[in-house]
Amino acid sequence: MGTGGSPSTPLQNVNLLLPTELTQPDAVPSPSPSSGHEETWGAIVVCGMPFDGEPPFSDTHLPRALARDHRVLVVERPLPVHRGARSLRARVEQIGERLWKIQPLALPGPDRPRLALLSDPLIARQVSRAADEVLPRSRVMITFAPARGLLPSVERQLTVYWRRDAAANANYVMSVRHEEARHERLLRRADLVVAVSPPLLADSAAHNPASVLLPNGADVAHFAEPGITSLPDLRPGPVIGYLGAVSWRLDVDLVAALATARPDWQFVLAGDVTVDLPTAPNLHAVGPQPWSQLPAWAHRFDVGIVPYLMESFNRSSFPLKVFDYLASGRPVVSTPLPGLEGLEPCVQLADGVDAFIEATEAALAGIATPEACRALAEANSWDHRADALAAILDERLALIAR
């Protein structure tokens, strides 16, 4: 079982394909690549976010992409039940040709330090039974959920810890102490740590040499076309748009300053609003939008923006919305997040109001064509991310088998 002791082989980071690489026609991959991997192993993917949630996170995109070539068992967040429950054995549901899902049942408080110790063996037993039903004997466990820990009694050859953010620093964490402790153990004992941004890679490599950079990917198919959704009219002028929660992560002062400085631009924020926003005639907070309608909004934008505060959690992130914009053919302007460095001219980084306005003006002037933006998204699709991860796992499983 792979809960530590990785084979000592060098790892190569899987970086973003940059626009300069896309200038050669042969360098642009096909929209639906086929990895050619034989189905020699299966994957247990432990989700930290709801698999069927909207919008989908990497917990959903990666297992769906892996399931093109491998059998995948998705493990949802556990469902606490009362002690009087007749059974603690969850049902396995097939949701694709090579894709299954299980939501383990657990005792109350499975994400709290002491209570988790009672639920861990119950969850592991259900996952093991399900894996025996649907997966080959050779398996990897990929976890997005530090709170679940290592689940050491679940049989597998490799443990992969996918780090999409700064773990316990997230506002959604129920028990910071529990999350931190399990995160630290996973970080040290995983056979492979996947980091989505350079800051996360640097932190991971300091604790585990088997760490690799593998950024988030693009949901190209969902955002390629706007659909037939009818959107409300806006005042005339370029539309500068943002998809996602209008939350503590957003630099509200920057957005307000941009709206004031350029009254001829229409700023649209499409997401749930949980912070105070200024009132301005050109600032439109349209509230949360169904996942099915987000492509229509993205295609309505002239420029997609990521005006995040430059604090530690954001600096470690790789916003999925960046590729949503690009797959829609829209250029992007963002505050200087390290994960987005080197993607010019499709993605421009700007620090401060004046720089953000200048970068947005350049984007409106056509510094990056819609075709270049779409090509960049295609080259960084979730299918390609899954292929890159599968190649690393193939190599490491081959070393174990020697």
Side-chain angles (χ1 to χ4, degrees), residues 54-266:
E54 292 189 358
F57 287 86
S58 45
D59 317 43
T60 301
H61 292 300
L62 182 71
R64 287 196 181 280
L66 279 174
R68 291 174 305 132
D69 299 300
H70 299 275
R71 292 180 171 230
V72 177
L73 174 65
V74 170
V75 181
E76 287 268 41
R77 295 187 296 183
L79 177 65
V81 298
H82 296 295
R83 293 179 183 273
R86 294 183 180 181
S87 173
L88 282 175
R89 182 173 182 177
R91 182 174 64 92
V92 180
E93 177 186 1
Q94 185 166 8
I95 55 177
E97 183 181 354
R98 297 187 184 88
L99 189 61
W100 290 263
K101 181 176 71 170
I102 182 175
Q103 184 173 30
L105 304 178
L107 298 176
D111 290 337
R112 302 194 180 279
R114 293 182 181 178
L115 296 173
L117 296 178
L118 300 175
S119 283
D120 284 350
L122 300 175
I123 294 170
R125 191 176 307 139
Q126 295 169 80
V127 173
S128 294
R129 285 173 178 166
D132 287 343
E133 289 179 20
V134 303
L135 299 184
R137 298 299 298 179
S138 180
R139 303 167 192 163
V140 299
M141 187 176 85
I142 304 168
T143 182
F144 290 85
R148 291 283 64 75
L150 284 162
L151 295 175
S153 62
V154 175
E155 181 182 351
R156 74 273 193 177
Q157 281 65 53
L158 290 173
T159 299
V160 179
Y161 180 20
W162 186 290
R163 295 191 66 190
R164 64 157 151 249
D165 55 37
N169 290 339
N171 283 9
Y172 54 77
V173 171
M174 292 183 62
S175 173
V176 171
R177 184 162 59 93
H178 174 67
E179 189 100 357
E180 283 182 338
R182 294 207 158 183
H183 156 71
E184 290 174 2
R185 193 167 183 228
L186 264 172
L187 190 57
R188 292 194 307 271
R189 298 191 60 186
D191 300 290
L192 178 69
V193 180
V194 172
V196 303
S197 69
L200 283 181
L201 177 64
D203 179 71
S204 300
H207 299 86
N208 189 329
S211 298
V212 61
L213 177 66
L214 191 60
N216 286 325
D219 187 349
V220 176
H222 188 68
F223 283 90
E225 300 294 336
I228 57 174
T229 302
S230 178
L231 300 180
D233 292 332
L234 296 172
R235 298 170 59 191
V239 178
I240 314 302
Y242 170 84
L243 298 179
V246 184
S247 67
W248 59 273
R249 301 185 67 180
L250 208 67
D251 189 339
V252 175
D253 291 338
L254 173 60
V255 173
L258 294 172
T260 299
R262 293 307 303 260
D264 53 322
W265 293 353
Q266 303 304 308

